[in-house]
Amino acid sequence: VSILVCSIIHTQLIQLKKDERNLYKLAYTDTLTGLPNRNAELREIERCISGEAHIPIFTLILFDYDNFKMFNEFLGHHIGDIFLIESIHHLRGVMGKEAVLGRVGDDRFLLLLPGIKTEDEILHYIDGLKREIAAPFFYKGHDYHMTACFGVVRYPKDSATAGDLMRQVEIALFRAKSHGKNCVVFFDERMQQTLERQMTLENKLIAAIDKKELYLEYQPQYHVPDRTLRGFEVLVRWESPDMGHIAPLDFIPLAEANGTIVTIGKWILHEACTQFARLKSMYEKPPVLAINISVVQFSDPEFLPIVRQTLSDTGIDPCYLEFEITESVFIKSQERTKRILDELKKLGIRISLDDFGTGYSSLSYLRSLPLDIVKIDKSFIDPIGTIPEDKNIVRSIIDMAHKLDLRVVAEGIERLEQFDYLVRNDCDFIQGNYLGKPVTISAL
Ligand code: C2E
Ligand code: CA
Ligand code: CA
């Protein structure tokens, strides 16, 4: 009996060891690629820092494929998986034997690169990775070319703990992504400060509406060529008692990222429509009110009900309202966008396409959408007068827009010669500091 018991215990022990090994493998391996996962990478970094791995100096490179989500949705997740496996295979050929590659997120990978590397050496190394990442991926008769962004952090230069290094390399990658595709960013101390400021802003922003720290300014738009008033663009302002004036470009993107823009946008719409009564009484002909609508606000399921509620609460006639949207609303879902735009039009609200020329859309693509106005971005207005007139495409944008029965607003006019050019070239309306800066309703 005792021999039998011993042998059972022995078999169980072997099984246990096997289970333990499997569990260990599960806990430290990514199932799709078989690469070390985040936990395994963290453990490896710690082994380096503690001296156990005998790697006193190393670089961490975190990278993430550009537009991978879109690629996945377009071709299917299964194809996305195949792409990743193939891509890793290519990378193995150039990353060097001593480097440790791990998968730390969906399409996010971390490379631990031992040894001293100067910034130039690292950039050269990353160029090699970029080339492999860009290798064509062939699927159903098409070649797809991928790019990626890279964040870089160095030990011991940047930080002394694995947790901090991971956080810093993520900050660097975040920066790289915000610059666009195919970018590389090395971590530096200032990035951390910027991030901390953003977090403070984010926390304070939530309370800013209730504390009445937000207010509106109105920038006039004029008819061309007689300079009679057409209306105003509504621009939000934030005056914080402890941080001073904060520019919309500093807080709107944050509000979009954390969703606060939905509440802020609702407040802006309500406040502007309420103030319209005062504006209207100042002019013989009631002015148009152009209100910026963020893509996040536009995507909110409550957007249309909020618009309807605001119209009925404030009693504003919708024929004086114009919503400024950007191309980003079309990228999300074209069908839904079109439906909402049609609903807004039915209510009597005009639609204006903001920042035209900075995105990807051609005017002919826009033909299928119920737009009324395009706003030519300031970056096209800036060179007027400094480059030869025939090199400027503003004229062709205006012509094309008119052929599509759209009116044109040129924004960011700062000089007389820009004004003259727009008069000569039949622009419909103009807006800019040359004719009037944004001011509060009291100043108006
Ligand atoms: P945008 O919609 O393109 O607004 C035009 C920006 O150009 C405004 O900056 C305006 O003050 C500025 N501007 C107008 N004329 C001139 C000029 O002649 N020269 C120069 N240098 N600038 C001029 P602002 O107010 O700082 O707003 C920046 C951006 O923030 C806006 O760009 C818009 O994307 C966003 N934003 C502002 N207010 C709102 C809002 O109420 N709601 C939403 N969703 N976004 C807003
Ligand atoms: Ca605008
Ligand atoms: Ca604009």
Side-chain angles (χ1 to χ4, degrees), residues 233 292 324 326 353-356 375-378 411 431:
E233 177 176 4
N292 290 290
E324 294 194 3
T326 54
L353 185 69
D354 206 353
D355 305 340
F356 182 75
K375 274 189 103 163
I376 304 181
D377 191 67
K378 182 174 180 296
E411 68 176 330
Q431 176 186 340

mmCIF file with all atom_site columns, all heavy atoms in Angstrom, residues 233 292 324 326 353-356 375-378 411 431, ligand 3:
data_model
loop_
_atom_site.group_PDB
_atom_site.id
_atom_site.type_symbol
_atom_site.label_atom_id
_atom_site.label_alt_id
_atom_site.label_comp_id
_atom_site.label_asym_id
_atom_site.label_entity_id
_atom_site.label_seq_id
_atom_site.pdbx_PDB_ins_code
_atom_site.Cartn_x
_atom_site.Cartn_y
_atom_site.Cartn_z
_atom_site.occupancy
_atom_site.B_iso_or_equiv
_atom_site.pdbx_formal_charge
_atom_site.auth_seq_id
_atom_site.auth_comp_id
_atom_site.auth_asym_id
_atom_site.auth_atom_id
_atom_site.pdbx_PDB_model_num
ATOM   1   N  N   . GLU A 1 233 ? -18.458 83.994 -34.886 1.00 0.00 ? 233 GLU A N   1
ATOM   2   C  CA  . GLU A 1 233 ? -18.088 82.658 -34.441 1.00 0.00 ? 233 GLU A CA  1
ATOM   3   C  C   . GLU A 1 233 ? -17.958 82.711 -32.928 1.00 0.00 ? 233 GLU A C   1
ATOM   4   O  O   . GLU A 1 233 ? -17.337 83.620 -32.369 1.00 0.00 ? 233 GLU A O   1
ATOM   5   C  CB  . GLU A 1 233 ? -16.759 82.193 -35.051 1.00 0.00 ? 233 GLU A CB  1
ATOM   6   C  CG  . GLU A 1 233 ? -16.366 80.816 -34.489 1.00 0.00 ? 233 GLU A CG  1
ATOM   7   C  CD  . GLU A 1 233 ? -15.107 80.201 -35.092 1.00 0.00 ? 233 GLU A CD  1
ATOM   8   O  OE1 . GLU A 1 233 ? -14.438 80.839 -35.919 1.00 0.00 ? 233 GLU A OE1 1
ATOM   9   O  OE2 . GLU A 1 233 ? -14.813 79.037 -34.714 1.00 0.00 ? 233 GLU A OE2 1
ATOM   10  N  N   . ASN A 1 292 ? -18.843 76.047 -32.739 1.00 0.00 ? 292 ASN A N   1
ATOM   11  C  CA  . ASN A 1 292 ? -17.994 74.882 -32.984 1.00 0.00 ? 292 ASN A CA  1
ATOM   12  C  C   . ASN A 1 292 ? -18.561 73.660 -32.283 1.00 0.00 ? 292 ASN A C   1
ATOM   13  O  O   . ASN A 1 292 ? -18.877 73.695 -31.097 1.00 0.00 ? 292 ASN A O   1
ATOM   14  C  CB  . ASN A 1 292 ? -16.582 75.132 -32.450 1.00 0.00 ? 292 ASN A CB  1
ATOM   15  C  CG  . ASN A 1 292 ? -15.849 76.160 -33.272 1.00 0.00 ? 292 ASN A CG  1
ATOM   16  O  OD1 . ASN A 1 292 ? -15.479 75.913 -34.405 1.00 0.00 ? 292 ASN A OD1 1
ATOM   17  N  ND2 . ASN A 1 292 ? -15.686 77.355 -32.695 1.00 0.00 ? 292 ASN A ND2 1
ATOM   18  N  N   . GLU A 1 324 ? -20.217 74.489 -36.831 1.00 0.00 ? 324 GLU A N   1
ATOM   19  C  CA  . GLU A 1 324 ? -18.922 74.236 -37.476 1.00 0.00 ? 324 GLU A CA  1
ATOM   20  C  C   . GLU A 1 324 ? -18.427 72.860 -37.053 1.00 0.00 ? 324 GLU A C   1
ATOM   21  O  O   . GLU A 1 324 ? -18.217 72.602 -35.876 1.00 0.00 ? 324 GLU A O   1
ATOM   22  C  CB  . GLU A 1 324 ? -17.906 75.312 -37.066 1.00 0.00 ? 324 GLU A CB  1
ATOM   23  C  CG  . GLU A 1 324 ? -18.269 76.686 -37.584 1.00 0.00 ? 324 GLU A CG  1
ATOM   24  C  CD  . GLU A 1 324 ? -17.117 77.690 -37.474 1.00 0.00 ? 324 GLU A CD  1
ATOM   25  O  OE1 . GLU A 1 324 ? -16.006 77.313 -37.045 1.00 0.00 ? 324 GLU A OE1 1
ATOM   26  O  OE2 . GLU A 1 324 ? -17.344 78.865 -37.815 1.00 0.00 ? 324 GLU A OE2 1
ATOM   27  N  N   . THR A 1 326 ? -15.688 69.447 -38.134 1.00 0.00 ? 326 THR A N   1
ATOM   28  C  CA  . THR A 1 326 ? -14.471 69.138 -38.893 1.00 0.00 ? 326 THR A CA  1
ATOM   29  C  C   . THR A 1 326 ? -14.627 67.780 -39.562 1.00 0.00 ? 326 THR A C   1
ATOM   30  O  O   . THR A 1 326 ? -15.502 66.999 -39.209 1.00 0.00 ? 326 THR A O   1
ATOM   31  C  CB  . THR A 1 326 ? -13.226 69.106 -37.980 1.00 0.00 ? 326 THR A CB  1
ATOM   32  O  OG1 . THR A 1 326 ? -13.486 68.204 -36.928 1.00 0.00 ? 326 THR A OG1 1
ATOM   33  C  CG2 . THR A 1 326 ? -12.885 70.466 -37.450 1.00 0.00 ? 326 THR A CG2 1
ATOM   34  N  N   . LEU A 1 353 ? -18.060 73.456 -42.819 1.00 0.00 ? 353 LEU A N   1
ATOM   35  C  CA  . LEU A 1 353 ? -16.915 72.555 -42.640 1.00 0.00 ? 353 LEU A CA  1
ATOM   36  C  C   . LEU A 1 353 ? -15.693 73.374 -42.273 1.00 0.00 ? 353 LEU A C   1
ATOM   37  O  O   . LEU A 1 353 ? -15.173 74.144 -43.081 1.00 0.00 ? 353 LEU A O   1
ATOM   38  C  CB  . LEU A 1 353 ? -16.666 71.754 -43.920 1.00 0.00 ? 353 LEU A CB  1
ATOM   39  C  CG  . LEU A 1 353 ? -15.576 70.697 -43.779 1.00 0.00 ? 353 LEU A CG  1
ATOM   40  C  CD1 . LEU A 1 353 ? -16.025 69.572 -42.866 1.00 0.00 ? 353 LEU A CD1 1
ATOM   41  C  CD2 . LEU A 1 353 ? -15.176 70.153 -45.130 1.00 0.00 ? 353 LEU A CD2 1
ATOM   42  N  N   . ASP A 1 354 ? -15.234 73.194 -41.017 1.00 0.00 ? 354 ASP A N   1
ATOM   43  C  CA  . ASP A 1 354 ? -14.146 73.987 -40.446 1.00 0.00 ? 354 ASP A CA  1
ATOM   44  C  C   . ASP A 1 354 ? -12.781 73.462 -40.902 1.00 0.00 ? 354 ASP A C   1
ATOM   45  O  O   . ASP A 1 354 ? -12.664 72.290 -41.277 1.00 0.00 ? 354 ASP A O   1
ATOM   46  C  CB  . ASP A 1 354 ? -14.242 73.883 -38.917 1.00 0.00 ? 354 ASP A CB  1
ATOM   47  C  CG  . ASP A 1 354 ? -13.638 75.085 -38.214 1.00 0.00 ? 354 ASP A CG  1
ATOM   48  O  OD1 . ASP A 1 354 ? -13.025 75.921 -38.890 1.00 0.00 ? 354 ASP A OD1 1
ATOM   49  O  OD2 . ASP A 1 354 ? -13.793 75.183 -36.981 1.00 0.00 ? 354 ASP A OD2 1
ATOM   50  N  N   . ASP A 1 355 ? -11.775 74.307 -40.845 1.00 0.00 ? 355 ASP A N   1
ATOM   51  C  CA  . ASP A 1 355 ? -10.381 73.912 -41.097 1.00 0.00 ? 355 ASP A CA  1
ATOM   52  C  C   . ASP A 1 355 ? -10.206 73.230 -42.449 1.00 0.00 ? 355 ASP A C   1
ATOM   53  O  O   . ASP A 1 355 ? -9.379  72.320 -42.589 1.00 0.00 ? 355 ASP A O   1
ATOM   54  C  CB  . ASP A 1 355 ? -9.858  72.970 -39.996 1.00 0.00 ? 355 ASP A CB  1
ATOM   55  C  CG  . ASP A 1 355 ? -10.010 73.569 -38.614 1.00 0.00 ? 355 ASP A CG  1
ATOM   56  O  OD1 . ASP A 1 355 ? -10.140 74.800 -38.518 1.00 0.00 ? 355 ASP A OD1 1
ATOM   57  O  OD2 . ASP A 1 355 ? -10.020 72.805 -37.629 1.00 0.00 ? 355 ASP A OD2 1
ATOM   58  N  N   . PHE A 1 356 ? -10.970 73.636 -43.442 1.00 0.00 ? 356 PHE A N   1
ATOM   59  C  CA  . PHE A 1 356 ? -10.899 72.937 -44.721 1.00 0.00 ? 356 PHE A CA  1
ATOM   60  C  C   . PHE A 1 356 ? -9.488  73.020 -45.310 1.00 0.00 ? 356 PHE A C   1
ATOM   61  O  O   . PHE A 1 356 ? -8.856  74.071 -45.314 1.00 0.00 ? 356 PHE A O   1
ATOM   62  C  CB  . PHE A 1 356 ? -11.916 73.472 -45.741 1.00 0.00 ? 356 PHE A CB  1
ATOM   63  C  CG  . PHE A 1 356 ? -11.831 72.701 -47.024 1.00 0.00 ? 356 PHE A CG  1
ATOM   64  C  CD1 . PHE A 1 356 ? -12.370 71.426 -47.090 1.00 0.00 ? 356 PHE A CD1 1
ATOM   65  C  CD2 . PHE A 1 356 ? -11.152 73.194 -48.117 1.00 0.00 ? 356 PHE A CD2 1
ATOM   66  C  CE1 . PHE A 1 356 ? -12.238 70.664 -48.243 1.00 0.00 ? 356 PHE A CE1 1
ATOM   67  C  CE2 . PHE A 1 356 ? -11.018 72.444 -49.275 1.00 0.00 ? 356 PHE A CE2 1
ATOM   68  C  CZ  . PHE A 1 356 ? -11.562 71.172 -49.331 1.00 0.00 ? 356 PHE A CZ  1
ATOM   69  N  N   . LYS A 1 375 ? -14.960 76.506 -44.532 1.00 0.00 ? 375 LYS A N   1
ATOM   70  C  CA  . LYS A 1 375 ? -14.087 77.534 -43.974 1.00 0.00 ? 375 LYS A CA  1
ATOM   71  C  C   . LYS A 1 375 ? -12.673 77.187 -44.367 1.00 0.00 ? 375 LYS A C   1
ATOM   72  O  O   . LYS A 1 375 ? -12.143 76.140 -43.957 1.00 0.00 ? 375 LYS A O   1
ATOM   73  C  CB  . LYS A 1 375 ? -14.185 77.527 -42.439 1.00 0.00 ? 375 LYS A CB  1
ATOM   74  C  CG  . LYS A 1 375 ? -15.329 78.358 -41.907 1.00 0.00 ? 375 LYS A CG  1
ATOM   75  C  CD  . LYS A 1 375 ? -15.255 78.498 -40.413 1.00 0.00 ? 375 LYS A CD  1
ATOM   76  C  CE  . LYS A 1 375 ? -14.733 79.850 -40.006 1.00 0.00 ? 375 LYS A CE  1
ATOM   77  N  NZ  . LYS A 1 375 ? -15.025 80.145 -38.581 1.00 0.00 ? 375 LYS A NZ  1
ATOM   78  N  N   . ILE A 1 376 ? -12.045 78.030 -45.170 1.00 0.00 ? 376 ILE A N   1
ATOM   79  C  CA  . ILE A 1 376 ? -10.669 77.748 -45.597 1.00 0.00 ? 376 ILE A CA  1
ATOM   80  C  C   . ILE A 1 376 ? -9.744  78.013 -44.418 1.00 0.00 ? 376 ILE A C   1
ATOM   81  O  O   . ILE A 1 376 ? -9.782  79.092 -43.818 1.00 0.00 ? 376 ILE A O   1
ATOM   82  C  CB  . ILE A 1 376 ? -10.261 78.626 -46.794 1.00 0.00 ? 376 ILE A CB  1
ATOM   83  C  CG1 . ILE A 1 376 ? -11.261 78.435 -47.941 1.00 0.00 ? 376 ILE A CG1 1
ATOM   84  C  CG2 . ILE A 1 376 ? -8.842  78.296 -47.238 1.00 0.00 ? 376 ILE A CG2 1
ATOM   85  C  CD1 . ILE A 1 376 ? -10.914 79.242 -49.174 1.00 0.00 ? 376 ILE A CD1 1
ATOM   86  N  N   . ASP A 1 377 ? -8.921  77.041 -44.117 1.00 0.00 ? 377 ASP A N   1
ATOM   87  C  CA  . ASP A 1 377 ? -8.046  77.150 -42.955 1.00 0.00 ? 377 ASP A CA  1
ATOM   88  C  C   . ASP A 1 377 ? -7.028  78.286 -43.094 1.00 0.00 ? 377 ASP A C   1
ATOM   89  O  O   . ASP A 1 377 ? -6.564  78.603 -44.193 1.00 0.00 ? 377 ASP A O   1
ATOM   90  C  CB  . ASP A 1 377 ? -7.303  75.827 -42.750 1.00 0.00 ? 377 ASP A CB  1
ATOM   91  C  CG  . ASP A 1 377 ? -6.605  75.797 -41.415 1.00 0.00 ? 377 ASP A CG  1
ATOM   92  O  OD1 . ASP A 1 377 ? -7.312  75.777 -40.394 1.00 0.00 ? 377 ASP A OD1 1
ATOM   93  O  OD2 . ASP A 1 377 ? -5.358  75.844 -41.385 1.00 0.00 ? 377 ASP A OD2 1
ATOM   94  N  N   . LYS A 1 378 ? -6.682  78.845 -41.937 1.00 0.00 ? 378 LYS A N   1
ATOM   95  C  CA  . LYS A 1 378 ? -5.746  79.971 -41.873 1.00 0.00 ? 378 LYS A CA  1
ATOM   96  C  C   . LYS A 1 378 ? -4.415  79.672 -42.568 1.00 0.00 ? 378 LYS A C   1
ATOM   97  O  O   . LYS A 1 378 ? -3.801  80.572 -43.152 1.00 0.00 ? 378 LYS A O   1
ATOM   98  C  CB  . LYS A 1 378 ? -5.510  80.314 -40.398 1.00 0.00 ? 378 LYS A CB  1
ATOM   99  C  CG  . LYS A 1 378 ? -4.594  81.481 -40.151 1.00 0.00 ? 378 LYS A CG  1
ATOM   100 C  CD  . LYS A 1 378 ? -4.567  81.822 -38.656 1.00 0.00 ? 378 LYS A CD  1
ATOM   101 C  CE  . LYS A 1 378 ? -3.644  82.991 -38.369 1.00 0.00 ? 378 LYS A CE  1
ATOM   102 N  NZ  . LYS A 1 378 ? -2.231  82.723 -38.679 1.00 0.00 ? 378 LYS A NZ  1
ATOM   103 N  N   . GLU A 1 411 ? -10.734 82.307 -43.046 1.00 0.00 ? 411 GLU A N   1
ATOM   104 C  CA  . GLU A 1 411 ? -10.490 82.722 -41.660 1.00 0.00 ? 411 GLU A CA  1
ATOM   105 C  C   . GLU A 1 411 ? -9.026  83.022 -41.407 1.00 0.00 ? 411 GLU A C   1
ATOM   106 O  O   . GLU A 1 411 ? -8.155  82.585 -42.144 1.00 0.00 ? 411 GLU A O   1
ATOM   107 C  CB  . GLU A 1 411 ? -11.018 81.684 -40.672 1.00 0.00 ? 411 GLU A CB  1
ATOM   108 C  CG  . GLU A 1 411 ? -10.310 80.361 -40.649 1.00 0.00 ? 411 GLU A CG  1
ATOM   109 C  CD  . GLU A 1 411 ? -10.869 79.440 -39.563 1.00 0.00 ? 411 GLU A CD  1
ATOM   110 O  OE1 . GLU A 1 411 ? -11.337 79.930 -38.530 1.00 0.00 ? 411 GLU A OE1 1
ATOM   111 O  OE2 . GLU A 1 411 ? -10.811 78.217 -39.770 1.00 0.00 ? 411 GLU A OE2 1
ATOM   112 N  N   . GLN A 1 431 ? -13.222 86.392 -41.934 1.00 0.00 ? 431 GLN A N   1
ATOM   113 C  CA  . GLN A 1 431 ? -13.108 86.478 -40.480 1.00 0.00 ? 431 GLN A CA  1
ATOM   114 C  C   . GLN A 1 431 ? -11.627 86.545 -40.145 1.00 0.00 ? 431 GLN A C   1
ATOM   115 O  O   . GLN A 1 431 ? -10.823 85.865 -40.769 1.00 0.00 ? 431 GLN A O   1
ATOM   116 C  CB  . GLN A 1 431 ? -13.719 85.198 -39.891 1.00 0.00 ? 431 GLN A CB  1
ATOM   117 C  CG  . GLN A 1 431 ? -13.617 85.058 -38.388 1.00 0.00 ? 431 GLN A CG  1
ATOM   118 C  CD  . GLN A 1 431 ? -14.132 83.687 -37.908 1.00 0.00 ? 431 GLN A CD  1
ATOM   119 O  OE1 . GLN A 1 431 ? -14.878 83.002 -38.609 1.00 0.00 ? 431 GLN A OE1 1
ATOM   120 N  NE2 . GLN A 1 431 ? -13.741 83.300 -36.717 1.00 0.00 ? 431 GLN A NE2 1
HETATM 121 CA CA  . CA  B 2 .   ? -11.019 76.805 -38.198 1.00 0.00 ? 3   CA  B CA  1
#
